[in-house]
Amino acid sequence: MRVAWFTPFSQASAIGKYSNIATKYLSKYAHVELFVVKADKMHETTLKKNYYDRNSNLTERLSEFDLIIYNFGDNLLYHLDIYEQAKKHRGIAILHDLIMHNFFRGYYLVDHNNVSEYIDSLNELYGEKVAQRGLSYFNNTNGEDKPFWETDEILKYTYLEKIYEIAEGIVTHSEYLLKRVQQDYNGPSTLAYFPFEADVFNGNDYPEEFKRNKINLLTVGNVNPNKRVDKIIKILGKNSMLREKINYVMVGSLSNVGYVEKVKAMIQEYNLEESVQLLGYRDDSSLFSYLTHADITANLRYPAMEGASWSLVEQMNFGRPILVTDTGFYKEMADNCVCKIKVEDEENDLVKWLDKLVKDESLRLEIGESAKLFALEKFEPTKYCNKITNFGSEVLFNRPLNALINRLSYEMKVMDVKKRMAIVDELSSEMEKLFYK
């Protein structure tokens, strides 16, 4: 099997890290070539890299492959060229995020610089009322504090439909996202948990921001509202014991200026300048030092916009207890290897777990070791490769049938055929006779 693998490959991209490991192992079972946009500080690989951009004519080159696999995430910078090629050449979509709304909002508003296209897409996918709400925001007539795409409502307007249009199959990294996909996508789909490469991360230097006489709590990643760092700061500000015992460090981009300013104000309000630190972005070598020496890691997410969490898989390898929100991909982790925080009782659960972990070193070691063992079994690379190759074979076998379904779906859409019309049942019945009996 010959596989063309489209991915970001920058060292700054989590999907780039994932693809580097995934293709390394997948290349043992198939011929794999990378299709990447040139970037600074790319991952090293022994696989062939094919450079392209959104305007490249890849028709002849891609005809040499059995499968085209596209990695999709919600970052316009990393995935714009991938999307433009996927529109020309259908392939399997690996979904890394539940929410693709921000990608497509950027696609229409930034790349195309066209508000009307964005509003039209809202109308097509989610109806006139949603489109009118979007339009009223741009016309400054909405009367709302913030647009709906900056609230939890974004979970209803994922824009996954735009990926379904160009996918001949979909791979997710969680049961959570797979179930969501299968509600609306009629093509083949499967779950393949991340491939985990144990002990590839090292960090020897003890971070100068850590304190040896305290419990060092670490949050990694862009500092934004769904990381819930403000909830942790509030707890440290209100709980004198935890304030005394915990040194809280956040490592990640500070580009969400509004939220970062809110966090800084809370630090001042609670007089936490000596025990809470915002460090900004750090490269991998520095990051691994923080992860190696942290006592507890916080990987909270709400709403959970990712399809899975590469950062969680990485963190499990370090053998530390991890605080996670009991939702999405995180809910699928075994109860004994992460510390689950219920959304509806977030503050109480955080206090409970932090209190237990701060006081009990043996508990920290026990949970951390369980996490490492769980990751070794759950995210074993051979399982991942078997899933991908078997699914690829299924897609190849069913390609003629799926092509027919896609063509019929397109023609019915042009004819404005609705779900409840008799022709839909008649066509389904005829196809069942042809292909399933």
Side-chain angles (χ1 to χ4, degrees), residues 14 17 210 217-224 226-229 232 248-253 279-284 286-292 294 296-301 306 309-312 314-315 318 322-323 330:
K17 294 180 187 179
F210 278 4
L217 171 63
L218 177 69
T219 290
V220 171
N222 296 342
V223 179
N224 56 41
N226 84 321
K227 298 288 197 310
R228 318 301 282 176
V229 299
I232 294 176
Y248 183 34
V249 174
M250 289 161 273
V251 175
S253 168
L279 303 188
Y281 173 79
R282 295 291 188 272
D283 63 22
D284 277 354
S286 297
L287 176 61
F288 295 153
S289 291
Y290 291 104
L291 288 166
T292 297
I296 307 168
T297 303
N299 200 322
L300 302 170
R301 294 289 189 280
E306 302 163 308
S309 174
W310 183 253
S311 64
L312 178 63
E314 276 189 343
Q315 289 164 22
F318 290 91
I322 307 168
L323 302 170
Y330 305 91

Side-chain angles (χ1 to χ4, degrees), residues 45-56:
T45 179
T46 60
L47 301 181
K48 180 178 180 180
K49 294 197 293 289
N50 299 273
Y51 294 108
Y52 76 99
D53 61 32
R54 63 191 297 177
N55 299 312
S56 299

Side-chain angles (χ1 to χ4, degrees), residues 132-161:
Q132 284 298 322
R133 287 181 66 192
L135 185 61
S136 67
Y137 171 77
F138 290 107
N139 291 336
N140 295 314
T141 59
N142 64 322
E144 300 177 27
D145 292 337
K146 58 178 68 174
F148 61 81
W149 54 83
E150 293 182 8
T151 72
D152 293 355
E153 277 194 84
I154 198 172
L155 292 168
K156 296 188 290 186
Y157 312 120
T158 64
Y159 269 78
L160 288 177
E161 295 88 347

Side-chain angles (χ1 to χ4, degrees), residues 329-380:
F329 174 72
Y330 305 91
K331 185 184 284 287
E332 295 170 37
M333 303 302 101
D335 291 344
N336 68 331
C337 71
V338 291
C339 309
K340 294 181 178 178
I341 309 299
K342 292 182 173 58
V343 175
E344 61 272 17
D345 202 19
E346 186 175 39
E347 185 171 334
N348 287 334
D349 275 3
L350 279 169
V351 171
K352 178 189 73 175
W353 271 114
L354 286 172
D355 183 74
K356 289 165 65 174
L357 294 170
V358 163
K359 293 176 178 177
D360 192 341
E361 181 181 8
S362 64
L363 179 63
R364 297 199 300 270
L365 294 173
E366 178 185 337
I367 295 174
E369 186 62 22
S370 294
K372 193 167 185 176
L373 293 173
F374 178 86
L376 284 169
E377 192 279 327
K378 189 79 167 179
F379 307 112
E380 201 277 317

Side-chain angles (χ1 to χ4, degrees), residues 155-190:
L155 292 168
K156 296 188 290 186
Y157 312 120
T158 64
Y159 269 78
L160 288 177
E161 295 88 347
K162 302 300 289 184
I163 303 300
Y164 300 160
E165 291 175 1
I166 57 176
E168 64 171 350
I170 289 178
V171 176
T172 74
H173 296 127
S174 67
E175 189 71 35
Y176 161 68
L177 182 52
L178 182 65
K179 288 178 179 178
R180 183 67 178 264
V181 165
Q182 290 176 341
Q183 289 175 12
D184 302 300
Y185 179 65
N186 295 320
S189 57
T190 195

Side-chain angles (χ1 to χ4, degrees), residues 81-104:
D81 300 271
I82 294 175
Y83 178 64
E84 291 291 0
Q85 287 296 331
K87 288 198 299 181
K88 302 172 191 174
H89 312 282
R90 288 170 60 83
I92 293 173
I94 296 182
L95 279 178
H96 291 266
D97 289 306
L98 165 63
I99 307 297
M100 289 294 294
H101 193 130
N102 293 320
F103 172 87
F104 283 101

